[in-house]
Amino acid sequence: MSAGKTGFDVQLTEGATISAPEQVGLAAAANPTTNCKFGAGADNLTCLIQGGPATVNGMQITLTRGTDGSWSCKSNLAAADIPKIAGTSCTGS
C-alpha cells in the first residue's frame, strides 16, 4: 500500500480525482493480488486482506491522506496482529 502513496500524491498534484487503485500504481480491484484487494477513494487507499490466517483474512487496512499531505493508518485488525501486518504506526480495534 505504501507504494500507492507516491502515485496518489502525483495524481493529486496533476489535478486528478482518484477513484481506483490502478490510478496510483496499485493492482486493480478486479484483479487482486494474492494477499490484497486494493481500493482507492478521494482521500484514501485500502487493502482488504485476502487469504492468510483466519485472524486477518477479510480485515481491512486504510491509509488516509490529510489535507496537509500527511498519511494516517487505521485497520480493523486485532491489536495483536497490527505490528505483523500493518506496522507499528497503524491503529486498530
Side-chain angles (χ1 to χ4, degrees):
M1 287 181 68
S2 289
K5 294 192 300 186
T6 299
F8 198 100
D9 289 338
V10 168
Q11 291 294 319
L12 287 181
T13 300
E14 293 178 355
T17 299
I18 299 163
S19 60
E22 58 270 26
Q23 286 180 272
V24 300
L26 298 174
N31 299 309
T33 67
T34 303
N35 299 310
C36 187
K37 180 177 181 180
F38 293 109
D43 69 348
N44 66 67
L45 298 172
T46 60
C47 169
L48 179 64
I49 299 172
Q50 308 286 302
T55 57
V56 299
N57 186 36
M59 297 291 150
Q60 182 166 295
I61 300 168
T62 302
L63 295 177
T64 302
R65 187 180 188 280
T67 56
D68 64 355
S70 65
W71 288 88
S72 61
C73 179
K74 294 203 184 272
S75 74
N76 60 353
L77 293 165
D81 292 316
I82 290 172
K84 295 182 271 185
I85 304 295
T88 56
S89 64
C90 200
T91 59
S93 60

